Amino acid sequence: MALWARAEVWMAGPRVPLRRAHALATSANLPPKAVLPFEAIPQCPGNKWLRVLQIWREGSEDLHLQMQRTFQELGPIFRYDVGGKYMVHVMLPEDVEKLKQAEGYQPHRMALEPWLAHRQHRGQKCGVFLLNGPAWRADRLRLNPDVMSPKAVQKFIPMVDRVARDFSKALMAKVLQNTRKSLTMDIQPSIFYYTLEASNLVLFGERLGLLSQSPSPTSLNFIHALEAMLKSTMQLMFMPRSLSRWMSPGVWKQHFEAWDYIFQYANNSIQKIYQELALGRPQRYSGIVSELLLHADMTLDAIKASSIDLTAGSVDTTAFPLLMTLFELARNPEVQQALRQESLQAEAKISENPQRANTELPLLRAALRETLRLYPVGMTVERQVSSDLVLQNYHIPAGVSEGPQPRPADTKLSGHAPTGQLTLPLPSCLQTLVIVQLYSLGRNPTVFPRPELYQPQRWLNRTSPTRLPYVAFGFGPRQCLGRRVAETEMLFLLHHVLKHFQVDTLTQEDINMVYRFVLMPSTLPLLTFRAIN
């Protein structure tokens, strides 16, 4: 168990004055202590209901920095309660391991109330992101073979490879229009188009033409809907529905309209596949949803629900790590050159067989891990513990009921949100939520020496006595369902871009990150792409 001793230590990132500085030390030779009660866990000062009001008024874009400062002041575990939820925050690998060991076959997540409200109001089935218990496990076990398994990855890799090659060709065409064979640009829109193009092909087997000069209005509206959904989620997620329906009716309206468009977009794509399958079995692999429909292990509504989860999580969560990787490589040219050499040496084998990319590009895969260490797009991994647990010598009580209990409530929201009876989950005894803060974990110098440096090689150090924690996509049976799709999209885009372009930037300063349900850069500097050969 790790303890915090007095020392002059700061975590990587913005340096803040500490009232009580702490450093990690081992307690292997210390005598065991009596387990302390839950109430003894250090608490973040402030009223939990005033926090809700503050988030509603001001947002929480610096929440990751607030959490980092609180760890520095209170130690490796603390309570930060918001509204009616008891939240225990941790940031050490040993606590991650204990959570893994304790979670069982049906890990329980906190219900994301704004998303759940939309499904309930619209009479839509929940996908695996929102489900818990046996219903979650049944659907997840049916989805894994076609989404997460090595066999599934081998099937969709050629699709992603084609889109990544097309992206590189389109970028080269723009660069070569300039006599200097270089182009300084805001690459963010192009990266968003790539992730949506690749994800749509993998999920629905259809190209959208987003890499052309004029993307379709439908695709642009989908991206805008995703942005609106994420923004409104952040504004609503900590406030009880009974309160937010009066204080934020306009936000609820925006949230419902955004989700309605996302559902319409995904439903149209699924309907096309369904019609094509009715004409006969496809001769070749045509995407994840097609495979799910062919296997007929899940109902059509269940396939739609989880496909929408994957669609909604397919753009921002992949685009932002790609953007931050390109930025870090631009200001670390020696790392960029090493990755380029690896890609050039592996190109012949990957061109012959794209499935070999995962084994032929170990340094590039390490670079993606390094990016997600510094900039975890999903800032936390959380679990509602189903059995009592001891973390940092504190007792953590179980806080999960067997399932939500229906309760009638007046649910008039506003605008397009309908009026009627809504089933709300009753709180369990404590609703104890344990949250792993990935931003603080990734910048802890006792876990990652010199954490402020971008060093992909650290992930390939086989002489290290301990394995570095990598939980950017969660862990265990409840890890991110779209993990393999996201990793494949990032790997192939960087592979093809680095072969053909030198990426530069004039900006050497750190980028300010903001939390808007996902962790993202507040602004991104212009990048210069120079054609090689």
Side-chain angles (χ1 to χ4, degrees), residues 140-184:
R140 183 63 190 249
L141 289 177
R142 295 184 181 108
L143 287 164
N144 282 343
D146 292 312
V147 185
M148 289 284 288
S149 71
K151 184 178 180 181
V153 175
Q154 295 298 302
K155 289 181 179 179
F156 62 66
I157 274 180
M159 290 180 158
V160 177
D161 181 48
R162 290 199 301 273
V163 179
R165 287 181 185 275
D166 290 347
F167 177 92
S168 181
K169 290 176 183 177
L171 181 58
M172 182 64 76
K174 293 179 183 178
V175 169
L176 293 182
Q177 290 176 0
N178 297 324
T179 56
R180 295 183 179 180
K181 295 185 178 180
S182 68
L183 179 63
T184 299

Side-chain angles (χ1 to χ4, degrees), residues 38 109 134 167 252 268 353 361 430 439 450 484 500 517 519:
F38 180 79
R109 288 176 59 103
F167 177 92
W252 274 111
N268 289 342
N353 181 5
L361 301 172
L430 274 177
Y439 185 87
R450 303 196 69 184
R484 301 305 179 198
H500 299 295
F517 189 63
L519 195 65

Side-chain angles (χ1 to χ4, degrees), residues 294-345:
L294 284 169
H295 293 160
D297 292 330
M298 302 174 67
T299 66
L300 180 59
D301 285 343
I303 293 172
K304 284 183 178 180
S306 288
S307 298
I308 287 166
D309 285 354
L310 285 165
T311 304
S314 66
V315 180
D316 300 65
T317 53
T318 306
F320 289 126
L322 276 172
L323 291 166
M324 297 312 298
T325 302
L326 289 170
F327 169 71
E328 285 292 352
L329 295 182
R331 67 173 183 169
N332 290 277
E334 69 290 345
V335 177
Q336 183 180 160
Q337 182 57 28
L339 292 175
R340 180 174 297 107
Q341 287 300 117
E342 180 183 72
S343 281
L344 290 171
Q345 291 172 7

